Structure formats: structure tokens, C-alpha cells
Amino acid sequence: MANPNKRRGTRWESEFAKFLNRELGLLTPDGDEFLDPTSPLNARRQAQQGMNDVGDLWVIPFVVECKNTARHELPAYVRQAEQEARNAGLPFGVAAVKVRGRGPRDCLVVMSGATFVRVVEALRQ
């Protein structure tokens, strides 16, 4: 992978997925393997799909668009995540934006107000 921006983005996707899986208790104690490799609950990186991209990570019921950029364009990231969630057939699209010099615990997870309302409604059921 020659493109340093692509390499940085791929590293962020992997780092964030591992963080989620570890924090959600989905990894073995050494943190290197899934407890249940077939579980749909595992946060997983997705293959790029071109025009019908389905996001960087699936953390069901969320599609996560991971961003590691110097300048943040939050509205564009959220629009992209929501479109990719529609493409994937999942209800919620969010963007995980890396904060320079900080790890996954301190990233910003950004969603639209409409998505937030739907998350709250889903949690109340």
C-alpha cells in the first residue's frame, strides 16, 4: 500500500475495531482473537464496494465510517456514513473521527440529529 493516507486510514480502522471488540468483551483475554469468530456482534472491517460502499466497520446495528484526517469535515463524514448504512441495510450510520495524538477511547463518534433520535427510540423499546 503505497499511499500514506490510505495506510493511516486502514491503521485507524483496525485500531478502532480492536478497541471496540476489546471494550465490548468480544476478544480472548490476550486480546488477539474473537471469543466467537462467527458472532455477528463482532466489530468487523468491511471490504470496499465501490459506488455501493457499505462503510469501514460494521458494529451491528451501526455502520461506522472511520476518518483519520488533519482537517475534519463532519457533515460530509456523517452523510457518507448514513449513505453507507442504507447501502448495507443497517439502521444507523456514524463517523468515528480520530483525534490527533489520542487513541480510540478519545475519538469522536459523530451522528446526525435524526440518527440520534432513532438510536434513542431504539433504546427505549
Side-chain angles (χ1 to χ4, degrees), residues 37-64:
T38 63
S39 174
L41 300 177
N42 297 333
R44 295 214 188 254
R45 291 187 61 227
Q46 299 298 309
Q48 292 184 354
Q49 303 287 322
M51 282 184 52
N52 294 319
D53 196 2
V54 293
D56 295 327
L57 301 178
W58 284 11
V59 186
I60 296 186
F62 293 91
V63 166
V64 182

Side-chain angles (χ1 to χ4, degrees), residues 95-112:
V97 182
K98 180 160 180 32
V99 175
R100 290 281 182 215
R102 305 303 298 261
R105 181 175 301 283
D106 297 316
C107 81
L108 304 176
V109 177
V110 185
M111 68 180 81
S112 68

Side-chain angles (χ1 to χ4, degrees), residues 23-91:
E23 293 297 309
L24 295 171
L26 300 170
L27 298 179
T28 57
D30 63 8
D32 287 335
E33 296 183 27
F34 289 117
L35 290 171
D36 177 359
T38 63
S39 174
L41 300 177
N42 297 333
R44 295 214 188 254
R45 291 187 61 227
Q46 299 298 309
Q48 292 184 354
Q49 303 287 322
M51 282 184 52
N52 294 319
D53 196 2
V54 293
D56 295 327
L57 301 178
W58 284 11
V59 186
I60 296 186
F62 293 91
V63 166
V64 182
E65 183 62 27
C66 294
K67 296 295 185 180
N68 183 3
T69 58
R71 279 191 51 234
H72 302 307
E73 298 177 27
L74 301 180
Y77 301 164
V78 169
R79 280 192 303 274
Q80 181 180 0
E82 289 178 342
Q83 179 59 56
E84 291 171 351
R86 284 189 293 276
N87 292 346
L90 290 172

